[in-house]
Amino acid sequence: FRLFQVDLFFDHCWREDGTMDISLARRQIAGVLQARRDAAVIIRFHVTAPKWWMRRHPEEWVRYADIHPRNESTEGLPRIIEEDNGPVERVSMASALWKTEATARLREFLRLLAKSPEGRALAGIQVANGVYGEWHNWGFYRNEPDVSEPMNHTFAVWLKKRYGTDEALRRAWNDPAVTFASARVPGLDARTTTHGVFRDPAAERRASDYYRCVHELVADNIIHFARTAKESWPRPLIAGTFYGYYFSTFDRQAAGGHLELQRVLNAPSIDYLSGPQAYEPEALKPGDAYRSRSLVMSVRLHGKLWLDEMDAEPTIPIPQAGDHDLILRNGVAAVRRNTLFSATKGMGLWFYDFGVAGVDLDNIRYNQRGSRGTWDHSVIMQDIAAMKVIVDARMRSPYTSAADVLFVYDTGSFYQTASLRGTDPFSTLTIDNATLAAFKSGVVFDPVHIDDLPRVDLQQYKTVVFGNVWALTPEQRSLLRTKVATGGRTVVWYYAPGYSDGTALDAGHCTALTGFTLVPETTATAPSVVLTMPGDTARTYTTGTTAVTPLFAVDDPAAEVFGKYASSGHAAVARKVFHDHTAWYIAVPHAGDQPLRSILRSSGAHVYTTHGEIVYAGNGLLVVHMKNGGTHAITLRSGKTVRFDLPAGNHTLVLDPGNGAPLLPVSPEIPDR
């Protein structure tokens, strides 16, 4: 390895007396250079206000909409970010005072570091703030963002820029008394919705405006500090950030801060985005589908790089373990699966080492030869080295995707839907669970932001799945009808596509877009669907625990029905054949793999495997991960079927997509202990 990243906080260098101490930064870089003399170092620089600054300026603190901030524990040796995700005392993202002073101090830090010998090794700055440095709003996991005075001021400025005049604001908010001077951040009660899952654009624009303002604020802060870093360094500098999380965001999208993906991707000062791999659902255990957190196709279409922070460390056995060899082979299978997902998407990653925390001391004494690294086992490292050779060779050729299924998603729809925890039962299902069903279907897919559809060459995609495209402009609806739902493709629509156009909620938009005649449906309890898909046994699934509004049913004699509401018998899952495409409508998303698995397998998309194996393909690689051994058959695009008889345990096969030949040994060689 030649590229390394270290963490640094303002707490480490910005002293209360106003001086800047770069000694820790120099020691960190020197430590890396001691291990690798030609190393290039990226500093993950947390521009978070230091603790002493925060205590000095309580008027700049974040104020949560639903809870009072609490003091942090001071017991033991807590990390600076230890309690970030709780409702703790932190400086508001909207603090102009913090931003001004932090900007000046970042410039000073970089000016001093550039003059040091260690500065020659600096390759980049990853700007960090928010929860764990990942630019989530403070406490977002359970709590609602910011009603502080700095946020109120920022909101007023944002509104004036957006609407221009008080009269325009009054019309937008349907409030004859509001002015820029009187407009305040909505409290918790004002963030609820009057139309169930959806906000009424005519009556609830205050809340949607607020969330948009919060997300633009986060994005603009990222861009500002990345630009500051580049401008403050005497030679070209890489700048990146944690941002663009879309999958595995814990149903907290509106509170989280990551919805302005396009804004950040369009910023020249940002070279790469990054994030830890998805943690849920079903993402880390053997047989699960490792995946990136972002819409990586959109990142690539903008000429940016996505870097996974892989912190799913392998299990390394102690030498006396009776199942030592099996555990180690399983570890290799997991690292292959995780590493090569990024490679098949044309992206990169780093291996994150938590160090000694949580590691068995016997494990450390055995594996690391004095090291505390949790990846430090010769078999693991040798397999990583072998993968790097394979991936590096493919970097010499232009990237090509092997996907023929496209998932289309939107970030802006979350400004139009219920934001409080548990009030939007469908969006996460269409994002996390639908893509998980696709992985289990044996197909390969790309995820893209709806705004990037004009950049996509649609010819390679036989199937297009529309996720949470609940809010669409007339231009977007036209694009989907004329450019996507055509060419003999199969398209899949979920729930309420285009239900909001930003000015009104109208089921007629859904009918016009999908071609299915949709009518209102009412259930007194959580919606249940009786489903019978071709080749599958009948099953009933229930989504959520309470009734959902609005709901829709298909009332269309030209549609073939495969699922019905258990309470009424009305059509909830249907297929309709048009002259230029075949469409499916799923009124109630499901956490399981049906009905999407059957739809994808019958859609014309290539199916590599049929027993739940996880398949990645692209960049000249075919990667197949399976939880259990036994006989596994893989059908190549040529029609050839290759079979592998595998021993017990987890496996990840790395194959040539043309002939199915293994590019790495099927099972790693385990040396004698």
Side-chain angles (χ1 to χ4, degrees), residues 220-465:
D220 289 346
N221 281 342
I222 290 171
I223 295 166
H224 168 79
F225 283 108
R227 184 173 61 245
T228 297
K230 282 180 173 286
E231 292 172 351
S232 303
W233 198 247
R235 63 176 186 274
L237 187 74
I238 295 168
T241 186
F242 282 129
Y243 195 75
Y245 298 14
Y246 191 75
F247 301 102
S248 189
T249 52
F250 319 112
D251 197 26
R252 298 296 288 151
Q253 292 90 346
H258 281 232
L259 295 182
E260 288 297 317
L261 178 62
Q262 297 293 317
R263 198 178 190 92
V264 175
L265 289 179
N266 286 323
S269 57
I270 299 295
D271 299 306
Y272 72 86
L273 304 183
S274 58
Q277 75 283 321
Y279 294 123
E280 60 178 36
E282 301 175 45
L284 299 177
K285 296 178 182 178
D288 289 352
Y290 176 98
R291 51 209 183 270
S292 299
R293 297 287 281 277
S294 194
L295 299 169
V296 291
M297 185 179 185
S298 282
V299 178
R300 189 174 64 247
L301 287 170
H302 284 261
K304 311 288 187 180
L305 184 66
W306 175 266
L307 295 175
D308 284 313
E309 176 173 275
M310 191 202 299
D311 60 17
E313 300 149 313
T315 300
I316 298 176
I318 57 176
Q320 61 267 34
D323 53 356
H324 170 280
D325 291 6
L326 177 61
I327 292 174
L328 194 51
R329 288 192 176 98
N330 288 350
V332 168
V335 175
R336 285 183 179 182
R337 173 198 63 179
N338 302 352
T339 302
L340 294 176
F341 173 84
S342 303
T344 61
K345 293 301 180 186
M347 297 300 179
L349 76 156
W350 64 73
F351 298 95
Y352 192 82
D353 197 327
F354 284 102
V356 70
V359 178
D360 186 284
L361 293 179
D362 288 333
N363 189 356
I364 290 173
R365 284 196 291 270
Y366 158 56
N367 283 312
Q368 283 81 357
R369 301 174 299 281
S371 159
R372 293 183 174 182
T374 48
W375 301 84
D376 191 7
H377 189 285
S378 60
V379 172
I380 298 289
M381 297 303 293
Q382 287 167 13
D383 210 66
I384 289 173
M387 284 189 284
K388 189 172 186 301
V389 170
I390 292 172
V391 174
D392 283 353
R394 282 153 180 78
M395 289 177 67
R396 301 188 185 103
S397 302
Y399 171 80
T400 56
S401 168
D404 52 9
V405 176
L406 185 67
F407 277 74
V408 179
Y409 288 112
D410 187 24
T411 51
S413 284
F414 285 109
Y415 299 136
Q416 308 295 331
T417 54
S419 57
L420 303 183
R421 181 176 289 276
T423 54
D424 178 357
F426 287 168
S427 290
T428 293
L429 293 179
T430 66
I431 295 169
D432 291 335
N433 296 90
T435 50
L436 183 59
F439 280 118
K440 294 181 177 180
S441 302
V443 303
V444 176
F445 67 91
D446 286 327
V448 72
H449 193 286
I450 190 170
D451 287 351
D452 292 317
L453 270 179
R455 301 171 182 256
V456 177
D457 181 358
L458 292 169
Q459 293 187 18
Q460 77 182 76
Y461 299 104
K462 299 181 180 299
T463 310
V464 179
V465 181

Side-chain angles (χ1 to χ4, degrees), residues 426 429 525-530 539-546 566 588-592:
F426 287 168
L429 293 179
T525 58
S528 289
V529 175
V530 181
R539 63 182 74 191
T540 300
Y541 68 86
T542 303
T543 294
T545 58
T546 60
V588 180
H590 181 211

Side-chain angles (χ1 to χ4, degrees), residues 11 28 36 136 143 146 168 257 265 358 472 545 575 596 640:
D11 287 271
Q28 286 181 302
R36 175 84 191 224
H136 297 300
N143 303 112
D146 195 358
L265 289 179
L472 297 174
T545 58
R575 177 176 64 191
L596 189 58
K640 176 184 177 181

Side-chain angles (χ1 to χ4, degrees), residues 38-339:
D38 63 344
V41 178
I42 293 176
I43 297 178
R44 184 185 304 179
F45 198 104
H46 295 254
V47 296
T48 311
K51 295 293 193 296
W52 64 261
W53 195 98
M54 185 188 70
R55 291 190 297 269
R56 184 180 291 179
H57 298 285
E59 73 281 1
E60 302 297 320
W61 291 1
V62 62
R63 302 293 177 184
Y64 303 99
D66 54 347
I67 194 170
H68 289 293
R70 59 172 171 79
N71 293 326
E72 294 179 76
S73 171
T74 57
E75 297 180 2
L77 295 171
R79 298 179 301 163
I80 294 173
I81 62 174
E82 187 70 34
E83 298 189 47
D84 274 1
N85 210 17
V88 289
E89 297 168 347
R90 292 287 188 271
V91 173
S92 169
M93 296 266 195
S95 169
L97 181 62
W98 154 74
K99 186 174 180 178
T100 297
E101 294 194 15
T103 300
R105 295 310 186 186
L106 179 59
R107 289 187 186 278
E108 181 182 4
F109 169 84
L110 291 170
R111 178 179 57 80
L112 293 173
L113 186 61
K115 294 179 180 179
S116 73
E118 292 80 11
R120 291 194 294 270
L122 189 71
I125 292 289
Q126 178 168 319
V127 292
N129 191 28
V131 175
Y132 306 145
E134 298 174 63
W135 292 100
H136 297 300
N137 287 302
W138 301 115
F140 87 104
Y141 186 68
R142 290 185 176 88
N143 303 112
E144 277 293 304
D146 195 358
V147 295
S148 67
E149 282 310 304
M151 189 66 234
N152 273 301
H153 175 74
T154 295
F155 190 39
V157 172
W158 185 92
L159 289 170
K160 186 170 181 59
K161 183 177 179 181
R162 183 172 182 84
Y163 293 109
T165 66
D166 286 337
E167 183 56 37
L169 176 63
R170 293 182 184 119
R171 289 195 301 270
W173 283 17
N174 196 25
D175 181 349
V178 70
T179 66
F180 297 129
S182 67
R184 304 287 290 177
V185 164
L188 199 63
D189 290 344
R191 300 182 195 187
T192 59
T193 60
T194 58
H195 286 68
V197 173
F198 290 91
R199 298 193 186 282
D200 182 351
E204 299 173 69
R205 192 177 297 273
R206 179 185 175 196
S208 59
D209 276 350
Y210 166 70
Y211 282 114
R212 190 182 298 274
C213 173
V214 168
H215 284 264
E216 289 186 5
L217 169 66
V218 172
D220 289 346
N221 281 342
I222 290 171
I223 295 166
H224 168 79
F225 283 108
R227 184 173 61 245
T228 297
K230 282 180 173 286
E231 292 172 351
S232 303
W233 198 247
R235 63 176 186 274
L237 187 74
I238 295 168
T241 186
F242 282 129
Y243 195 75
Y245 298 14
Y246 191 75
F247 301 102
S248 189
T249 52
F250 319 112
D251 197 26
R252 298 296 288 151
Q253 292 90 346
H258 281 232
L259 295 182
E260 288 297 317
L261 178 62
Q262 297 293 317
R263 198 178 190 92
V264 175
L265 289 179
N266 286 323
S269 57
I270 299 295
D271 299 306
Y272 72 86
L273 304 183
S274 58
Q277 75 283 321
Y279 294 123
E280 60 178 36
E282 301 175 45
L284 299 177
K285 296 178 182 178
D288 289 352
Y290 176 98
R291 51 209 183 270
S292 299
R293 297 287 281 277
S294 194
L295 299 169
V296 291
M297 185 179 185
S298 282
V299 178
R300 189 174 64 247
L301 287 170
H302 284 261
K304 311 288 187 180
L305 184 66
W306 175 266
L307 295 175
D308 284 313
E309 176 173 275
M310 191 202 299
D311 60 17
E313 300 149 313
T315 300
I316 298 176
I318 57 176
Q320 61 267 34
D323 53 356
H324 170 280
D325 291 6
L326 177 61
I327 292 174
L328 194 51
R329 288 192 176 98
N330 288 350
V332 168
V335 175
R336 285 183 179 182
R337 173 198 63 179
N338 302 352
T339 302

Side-chain angles (χ1 to χ4, degrees), residues 593-648:
D593 56 358
Q594 290 285 33
L596 189 58
R597 184 184 66 185
S598 292
I599 294 172
L600 293 176
R601 288 182 174 178
S602 63
S603 69
H606 182 73
V607 180
Y608 289 89
T609 62
T610 57
H611 289 86
E613 300 94 337
I614 306 301
V615 181
Y616 310 138
N619 204 21
L621 294 169
L622 173 59
V623 181
V624 185
H625 173 71
M626 55 280 293
K627 180 178 181 180
N628 299 310
T631 300
H632 293 266
I634 302 161
T635 302
L636 307 179
R637 285 189 171 275
S638 65
K640 176 184 177 181
T641 297
V642 293
R643 289 179 171 81
F644 295 88
D645 293 314
L646 303 173

